[in-house]
Amino acid sequence: QAQNPIIRDQFTADPTARVFNGRMYLYPSHDIHSPVENLKEWFCMEDYHVFSSDNLTDWTDHGVILTQNRIPWVKKDSYAMWAPDCVEKDGKYYFYFPAAPAGAEKGFAIGVAVADSPVGPFRPQFRPIEGVAGIDPCVLVDDDGKSYIYWSGMGLSVAPLSDDMLHLAGSPVRIEGLPEGFKEGPFAFKRDGRYYLTFPWVKDKTETLAYAMSDSPTGPFEFKGIIMDESPTGCWTNHHSLVEKDGQWYLFYHHNDYSPDMDKRRSVRIDTVGFNSDGTIRKVTPTLRGVGVCLSLIHISE
């Protein structure tokens, strides 16, 4: 009766989940078997799909929304379309993604594609966001309409976005006060007036999921602890998002369930997450049961 992983016909990783118009949308990266020799043992991602669900059990694949060879500034055949995000503002949907820029020897830039619908069609901008060099973009649209972009690259950084969501509106700030150790994949959200910055953190050998809290979207952030422990099977990465739907919070994350011998091909899972009375996050134990409702359990309850 397992509901995890939730996508079973392809590899999906780095899941950003968002609720738009009462429906859950999932924007993951897309691990594939590498067609090029230099990425046979490394992460290989060519494009992005978007999925959606009303019940978190039955997921619709809306197909490819962006691919590396149809974005003007991206290095062709780089296979580096890593962890993305998507947010809505004023009726437009903004999809943020990292990729290897054409003409650069190394490194990543972050681009934006815009659509009138959560499933596209998304129109990529001709250039990446100036002033941002890194991966794993996350955007928080605050209650006052101001927006902030977070990313990783030599640490975690944050900067305000312009009203058009396409440019920085201020200088990046490095987020300080977090524990030592490798950190990436920031996901920021707001709950009950407090700002949460969550991120994969290598405390020992592989990535945990950890978090910090603040009264401001740009910090200072106070480290609070771990949301999810290291993978017991040694899957090195974890990447995630936290989202509320119908009064329940969910943690989307990934594991290499369908590729136990190769942790560069991951699959998305979901588990419920709760909060303590002081706003701190309760640690999540990963399950294969997941959060979906299956017919056998409905029959038993009846």
Side-chain angles (χ1 to χ4, degrees):
Q1 308 304 330
Q3 298 291 318
N4 281 334
I6 61 169
I7 308 298
R8 305 183 179 191
D9 64 344
Q10 60 190 275
F11 293 113
T12 52
D14 310 318
T16 292
R18 300 288 188 184
V19 176
F20 298 131
N21 304 315
R23 186 174 178 88
M24 187 75 78
Y25 290 85
L26 178 66
Y27 300 88
S29 56
H30 181 201
D31 292 333
I32 62 173
H33 293 272
S34 177
V36 293
E37 190 62 34
N38 64 313
L39 294 176
K40 292 293 186 184
E41 302 298 324
W42 193 240
F43 303 106
C44 185
M45 294 100 139
E46 181 178 14
D47 56 30
Y48 297 105
H49 289 234
V50 58
F51 304 82
S52 71
S53 176
D54 282 327
N55 58 11
L56 306 188
T57 301
D58 304 302
W59 291 87
T60 299
D61 182 356
H62 297 278
V64 174
I65 57 174
L66 278 185
T67 185
Q68 62 181 7
N69 289 331
R70 302 194 68 178
I71 302 171
W73 60 269
V74 172
K75 180 189 288 186
K76 309 307 179 187
D77 301 322
S78 55
Y79 297 96
M81 309 291 281
W82 287 13
D85 190 11
C86 187
V87 297
E88 182 273 338
K89 185 178 181 183
D90 298 332
K92 296 284 188 180
Y93 296 85
Y94 299 87
F95 183 79
Y96 298 83
F97 61 95
E105 290 292 327
K106 58 182 180 179
F108 283 77
I110 291 175
V112 192
V114 186
D116 296 319
S117 160
V119 299
F122 282 91
R123 302 172 295 278
Q125 300 296 297
F126 283 93
R127 296 179 181 83
I129 302 174
E130 187 176 352
V132 178
I135 59 173
D136 305 336
C138 169
V139 172
L140 184 150
V141 181
D142 209 345
D143 301 331
D144 60 5
K146 294 180 180 179
S147 301
Y148 303 86
I149 184 169
Y150 304 78
W151 69 92
S152 54
M154 303 298 289
L156 305 182
S157 299
V158 59
L161 279 172
S162 58
D163 289 340
D164 66 4
M165 305 292 284
L166 304 177
H167 308 90
L168 295 190
S171 300
V173 175
R174 184 67 54 86
I175 297 173
E176 305 291 349
L178 303 179
E180 294 295 325
F182 180 73
K183 294 172 286 290
E184 61 175 350
F187 185 82
F189 65 96
K190 188 177 185 180
R191 177 184 178 273
D192 292 345
R194 302 292 305 279
Y195 298 88
Y196 293 75
L197 179 68
T198 64
F199 49 92
W201 169 45
V202 180
K203 181 181 180 182
D204 185 16
K205 295 180 180 179
T206 60
E207 289 184 341
T208 66
L209 294 180
Y211 77 108
M213 296 173 64
S214 177
D215 293 322
S216 165
T218 57
F221 285 91
E222 180 183 356
F223 181 71
K224 292 295 184 179
I226 291 175
I227 305 170
M228 181 177 284
D229 289 326
E230 295 178 339
S231 163
T233 65
C235 182
W236 196 87
T237 65
N238 204 349
H239 195 111
H240 67 299
S241 56
L242 288 92
V243 62
E244 184 268 337
K245 186 178 188 295
D246 300 330
Q248 175 64 58
W249 282 83
Y250 298 95
L251 174 67
F252 286 70
Y253 62 103
H254 69 227
H255 191 62
N256 62 325
D257 294 283
Y258 292 154
S259 181
D261 298 324
M262 174 58 165
D263 68 356
K264 307 301 185 290
R265 301 181 191 123
R266 289 81 43 96
S267 297
V268 171
R269 292 181 177 188
I270 318 172
D271 277 297
T272 56
V273 61
F275 295 80
N276 299 309
S277 59
D278 63 355
T280 54
I281 303 174
R282 297 173 189 157
K283 185 179 287 188
V284 177
T285 300
T287 74
L288 291 176
R289 172 68 187 87
V291 301
V293 177
C294 57
L295 292 177
S296 62
L297 292 180
I298 294 175
H299 294 157
I300 290 171
S301 67
E302 292 175 346

